[in-house]
Amino acid sequence: MRVAFKMKLFPGNEAEYKKRHDALWPELEQLLHATGISEYSIFLDETTNSLFGVLKIQDPAALDNLPAHPVMQKWWAYMKDIMESNADNSPVSTPLKEVFYLP
């Protein structure tokens, strides 16, 4: 199943966001794969600083377990200074409804 969502980057942090993701921690990559996530992409709309994430996951309910993992919490704390975040440091994220797909 594909899942899509949007987040918001603070202005002026585009290069830093890309830099941090280009150097994604191996332990975070392992956690995402172990959760069943594959083909994960994040796109930036430079006119609004909106980030659009799209990923494939075997069991979407497995995403509910990610916030409990220390490496996920550590990543969120690392990213909170450059993007809109909740009180628990998780990114403010809005699920997106699929309205079209051409395989």
Side-chain angles (χ1 to χ4, degrees), residues 15-44:
E16 182 62 23
Y17 187 88
K18 182 165 181 4
K19 176 183 165 190
R20 292 182 190 188
H21 281 79
D22 286 347
L24 189 69
W25 303 337
E27 61 269 29
L28 179 55
E29 184 176 349
Q30 291 170 354
L31 172 61
L32 297 175
H33 285 299
T35 302
I37 294 172
S38 64
E39 298 186 36
Y40 189 175
S41 298
I42 300 173
F43 299 86
L44 172 64

Side-chain angles (χ1 to χ4, degrees), residues 27-100:
E27 61 269 29
L28 179 55
E29 184 176 349
Q30 291 170 354
L31 172 61
L32 297 175
H33 285 299
T35 302
I37 294 172
S38 64
E39 298 186 36
Y40 189 175
S41 298
I42 300 173
F43 299 86
L44 172 64
D45 178 346
E46 294 178 301
T47 64
T48 64
N49 278 343
S50 293
L51 298 162
F52 297 91
V54 181
L55 58 87
K56 284 188 177 180
I57 184 147
Q58 296 167 359
D59 176 12
L63 294 172
D64 296 337
N65 299 324
L66 284 177
H69 288 275
V71 70
M72 190 83 266
Q73 294 172 13
K74 184 179 170 186
W75 180 259
W76 289 344
Y78 177 56
M79 298 299 291
K80 73 178 181 177
D81 65 320
I82 63 171
M83 62 190 305
E84 290 184 1
S85 300
N86 295 303
D88 66 354
N89 296 331
S90 65
V92 173
S93 179
T94 304
L96 297 174
K97 179 181 177 181
E98 183 174 293
V99 295
F100 176 77

